[in-house]
């Protein structure tokens, strides 16, 4: 697969997360903001879990290309965890108990999943989640409307994360198929399980954050109703991703069958020439039709 982009770890990126970013950074919309905030609280612990589940099989990998990809995947996910950790510090300062949410996730990942589930299962869950992050990367940046009104710094942070999710999207999958030899049923059931878990977590944590924000009942009802429509309307965030989502059920599926995302090369060129991740995010966003 020579046409696939390389996995490039990018370190010490500055998204000015300590800057004057408004609390409701997504166009002043509490639901959209808190939906992305809820997702962000999942990342640092989630990415540590993915790294551990891929590492479980690293000693059995003999292909030098895959070994290098695993190394770069780990470095990228490590950086995602660090940057989302900085982002989550903002949320903690706003009164969101991110430490408690992360404590719950850590317990679930380390003391339940990694302790009781077979390693093939947790790797299948990792590969499935990587499918979800790759298709979300596509749908967040499929058109200009999707991220319209977002603060450029945070939009750029999600753009960088999205690009790297595309670059490393096949690593966990290849380890699962070639090394752990996970069968079709475990693969697809893992996707169904993580889809349910991801949706329940992000939805209920979004509601919890809106509750902590002390919006009036009326404000909360209207923002949630509008938010659900934004997620599920035709052409909305979720429906835009359904076509890609179901590809995973094809018996011969491979993540690179879906290609790289629109404007990936544009982002990469902007990043390589400016070295500035905010500028790269903005240039890519400006180029979206
Ligand atoms: Fe990531
Ligand atoms: Fe990833």
């Amino acid at each position: 697969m020579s046409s696939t982009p390389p996995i490039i770890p990018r370190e010490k990126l500055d998204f000015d997360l300590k800057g004057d970013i408004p609390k409701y950074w997504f166009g002043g919309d509490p639901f959209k903001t808190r939906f992305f905030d809820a997702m962000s609280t999942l990342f640092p612990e989630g990415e540590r879990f993915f790294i551990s589940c891929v590492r479980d099989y690293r000693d059995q990998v003999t292909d030098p290309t895959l070994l290098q990809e695993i190394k770069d995947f780990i470095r990228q996910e490590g950086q995602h965890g660090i940057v989302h950790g900085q982002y989550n510090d903002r949320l903690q300062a706003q009164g969101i108990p991110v430490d408690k949410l992360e404590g719950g996730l850590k317990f679930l990942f380390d003391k339940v999943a990694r302790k009781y589930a077979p390693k093939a299962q947790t790797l299948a869950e990792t590969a499935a989640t990587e499918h979800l992050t790759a298709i979300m990367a596509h749908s967040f940046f499929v058109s200009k409307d999707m991220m319209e009104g977002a603060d450029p710094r945070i939009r750029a942070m999600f753009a960088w994360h999205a690009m790297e999710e595309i670059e490393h999207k096949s690593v966990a999958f290849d380890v699962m198929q070639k090394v752990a030899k996970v069968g079709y049923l475990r693969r697809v059931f893992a996707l169904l399980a993580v889809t349910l878990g991801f949706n329940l977590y992000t939805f209920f944590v979004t509601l919890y954050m809106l509750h902590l924000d002390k919006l009036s009942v009326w404000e909360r009802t209207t923002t949630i109703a509008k938010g659900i429509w934004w997620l599920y309307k035709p052409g909305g965030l979720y429906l835009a991703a359904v076509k890609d989502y179901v590809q995973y059920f094809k018996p011969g599926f491979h993540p690179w069958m879906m290609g790289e995302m629109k404007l990936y090369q544009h982002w990469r060129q902007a990043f390589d020439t400016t070295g500035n991740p905010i500028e790269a995010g903005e240039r890519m966003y400006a180029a979206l039709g």
Side-chain angles (χ1 to χ4, degrees), residues 47 50 73 77 80 129-130 133 161 164-165 168-169:
E47 302 194 281
F50 306 152
F73 159 83
E77 294 295 32
H80 301 168
T129 314
E130 289 290 293
T133 53
H161 194 163
E164 294 195 351
E165 288 304 319
H168 72 227
K169 67 178 177 173

Side-chain angles (χ1 to χ4, degrees), residues 137-148 155 159 163 261-264 266-267 280-289:
H138 281 264
S139 61
F140 290 169
F141 296 100
V142 74
S143 71
K144 226 167 182 166
D145 318 347
M146 218 62 97
M147 295 291 266
E148 191 160 21
R155 186 165 55 208
M163 300 306 145
M261 68 184 267
K262 188 179 170 184
L263 298 183
Y264 162 78
H266 199 96
W267 181 89
E282 278 311 86
R283 287 197 194 176
M284 187 207 64
Y285 183 69
L288 278 171

Side-chain angles (χ1 to χ4, degrees), residues 50 53 64 78 107 110 113 117 234 243 256 258:
F50 306 152
C53 299
F107 179 81
D110 294 349
K243 224 172 83 215
W256 283 111
M258 295 177 352

